[in-house]
């Protein structure tokens, strides 16, 4: 049953079956994440205070800037895999964050504040959002792992991440802080970036580097990615109370499915990630949404939602 459900999901999300829909979405929504052009592309674009680069990870544009710096600094390692850095397998991270922003999943789900809403601070990322808290461990943590690995060279300043107003103890805010709290997750992200750096002497070649192996890079990336989710998932169970039951179930189903997608070494480059995300819900799920019968979702989106739930239940039943 697990294998059958997995096959449904993987076939549905494959580039071959997703091309038409993803091309349509790319035309309408853009190939790049929302506001990508406005995100800071250089670490020195962020404010510098007390000899520290200060990043507000609770602002969408600044968190997206973290991703943009990762993509820019790693571009040379993926030059052989697509023009304009399209073959960079780190694209999966900012594109997923952009989907969360576009679909309202980073806003305050409790409606206790105007954080993330058009009539308030649209760029605000709410610490009450399950999606934004989970994403912290797939944005700030990879970034700090890259800093420690030396992806950005010898930095003139330390990095400091600003805390949220609530739930400060749920996060870490510097390389040293994160290393003391989540050494395994930090180590695995550092390993991924150190692998790229270890191929430096051949990466500038116009031909594919004989030392850079995409399968090895994907293995390290997915290992770090799933470790971030495994650590964050139990930590943010309390944030699910702010979501509708269908939305909370979908969030946990999606987190579960990532383990299976990771096992396929799915290449999270620009094209493949856009293909995959064409089938994710384009809005938050409400109490009345029951897949596969959601009228304003495409048949493919309904099918994916239903399949993800089957996959998660089967995984739980089989242990």
């Amino acid at each position: 049953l697990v294998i059958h459900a997995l096959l449904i999901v993987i076939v549905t999300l494959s580039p071959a079956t997703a091309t038409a829909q993803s091309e349509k979405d790319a035309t309408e929504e853009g190939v790049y994440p929302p506001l990508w052009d406005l995100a800071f592309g250089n670490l020195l674009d962020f404010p510098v205070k007390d000899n520290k680069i200060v990043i507000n990870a609770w602002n969408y544009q600044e968190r997206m800037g973290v991703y943009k710096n990762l993509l820019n600094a790693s571009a040379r390692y993926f030059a052989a895999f697509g023009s304009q850095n399209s073959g960079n397998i780190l694209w999966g991270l900012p594109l997923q964050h952009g989907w969360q922003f576009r679909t309202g999943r980073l806003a305050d789900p409790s409606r206790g504040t105007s954080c993330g809403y058009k009539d308030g601070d649209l760029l605000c990322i709410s610490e009450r959002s399950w999606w934004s808290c989970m994403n912290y461990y797939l944005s700030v943590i990879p970034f700090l792992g890259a800093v420690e690995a030396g992806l950005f060279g010898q930095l003139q300043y330390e990095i400091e991440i600003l805390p949220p107003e609530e739930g400060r103890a749920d996060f870490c805010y510097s390389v040293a802080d994160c290393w003391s709290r989540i050494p395994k997750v930090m180590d695995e992200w550092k390993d991924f970036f150190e692998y790229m750096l270890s191929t430096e002497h051949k990466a500038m070649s116009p031909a594919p580097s004989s030392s850079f192996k995409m399968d090895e890079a994907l293995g390290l990336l997915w290992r770090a990615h799933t470790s971030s989710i495994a650590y964050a998932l139990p930590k943010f169970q309390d944030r699910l109370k702010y979501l509708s039951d269908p939305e909370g179930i979908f969030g946990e189903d999606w987190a579960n499915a990532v383990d299976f997608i990771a096992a396929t070494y799915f290449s999270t480059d620009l094209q493949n990630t856009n293909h995959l995300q064409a089938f994710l819900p384009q809005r938050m799920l409400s109490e009345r949404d029951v897949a596969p019968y959601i009228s304003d979702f495409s048949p493919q989106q309904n099918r994916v939602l239903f399949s993800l739930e089957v996959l998660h239940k089967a995984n739980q039943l089989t242990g």
Side-chain angles (χ1 to χ4, degrees):
L1 185 58
V2 173
I3 298 301
H4 181 254
L6 172 61
L7 288 173
I8 290 174
V9 173
I10 296 302
V11 168
T12 302
L13 296 181
S14 68
T17 59
T19 300
Q21 180 70 30
S22 66
E23 285 179 354
K24 178 176 179 288
D25 284 12
T27 301
E28 293 178 354
E29 301 289 353
V31 173
Y32 299 102
L35 306 181
W36 180 253
D37 289 343
L38 300 179
F40 296 144
N42 188 301
L43 287 179
L44 293 179
D45 292 336
F46 290 97
V48 176
K49 184 178 180 181
D50 298 329
N51 286 321
K52 292 181 179 179
I53 295 171
V54 181
I55 300 173
N56 180 8
W58 302 98
N59 173 280
Y60 171 77
Q61 193 170 324
E62 292 201 27
R63 194 181 288 196
M64 193 56 77
V66 164
Y67 286 130
K68 197 168 189 177
N69 274 270
L70 284 176
L71 267 292
N72 288 346
S74 60
R76 61 188 181 275
Y77 303 104
F78 297 94
F81 301 100
S83 61
Q84 297 181 311
N85 204 21
S86 62
N88 194 322
I89 57 177
L90 286 169
W91 273 116
L93 299 176
L95 285 168
Q96 178 74 175
H97 189 48
W99 166 78
Q100 292 165 354
F101 173 76
R102 189 171 62 246
T103 58
R105 287 178 164 84
L106 303 179
D108 181 356
S110 74
R111 293 279 182 166
T113 70
S114 61
C115 179
Y117 294 100
K118 291 181 179 179
D119 59 352
D121 183 356
L122 182 61
L123 297 182
C124 175
I125 295 176
S126 175
E127 60 267 29
R128 295 181 186 179
S129 161
W130 179 86
W131 291 96
S132 74
C133 291
M134 292 292 293
N135 178 263
Y136 191 93
Y137 284 83
L138 289 167
S139 55
V140 171
I141 306 307
F143 171 68
L144 293 177
V147 170
E148 182 64 10
L151 182 67
F152 302 103
Q154 190 68 37
L155 291 177
Q156 183 180 355
Y157 305 106
E158 291 182 33
I159 302 290
E160 180 181 2
I161 310 296
L162 294 180
E165 293 183 7
E166 300 176 5
R168 295 186 178 206
D170 290 330
F171 308 97
C172 55
Y173 306 102
S174 67
V175 169
D177 184 25
C178 294
W179 218 282
S180 68
R181 297 199 204 185
I182 48 171
K184 179 179 182 290
V185 181
M186 283 287 287
D187 271 336
E188 293 187 351
W189 281 109
K190 183 185 177 188
D191 287 347
F192 167 68
F193 291 107
E194 283 185 336
Y195 172 74
M196 290 195 299
L197 289 164
S198 72
T199 67
E200 183 75 47
H201 62 290
K202 294 181 179 179
M204 301 303 289
S205 169
S209 169
S210 60
S211 61
F212 184 96
K213 307 296 183 186
M214 183 60 87
D215 274 357
E216 289 185 41
L218 282 167
L220 291 167
L221 176 68
W222 279 117
R223 185 183 70 165
H225 190 120
T226 53
S227 287
S228 280
I229 291 177
Y231 178 82
L233 197 56
K235 180 178 281 292
F236 298 116
Q237 285 293 304
D238 65 323
R239 305 302 202 277
L240 292 171
K241 68 186 178 186
Y242 297 117
L243 301 176
S244 69
D245 286 344
E247 179 68 20
I249 290 168
F250 164 61
E252 292 191 293
D253 291 345
W254 180 235
N256 171 77
V258 169
D259 277 334
F260 291 90
I261 295 170
T264 70
Y265 279 32
F266 182 85
S267 180
T268 45
D269 59 28
L270 186 67
Q271 182 183 31
N272 284 344
T273 305
N274 274 316
H275 284 326
L276 183 150
Q277 292 196 158
F279 294 112
L280 296 182
Q282 74 270 22
R283 60 165 174 80
M284 297 274 281
L285 301 180
S286 69
E287 294 292 353
R288 65 180 179 272
D289 289 323
V290 180
Y293 307 110
I294 304 174
S295 60
D296 62 331
F297 284 9
S298 69
Q300 296 93 337
Q301 288 170 329
N302 271 290
R303 183 183 180 190
V304 165
L305 277 176
F306 182 73
S307 299
L308 291 176
E309 187 171 357
V310 170
L311 179 63
H312 192 189
K313 287 180 177 177
N315 200 32
Q316 290 174 318
L317 287 171
T318 59

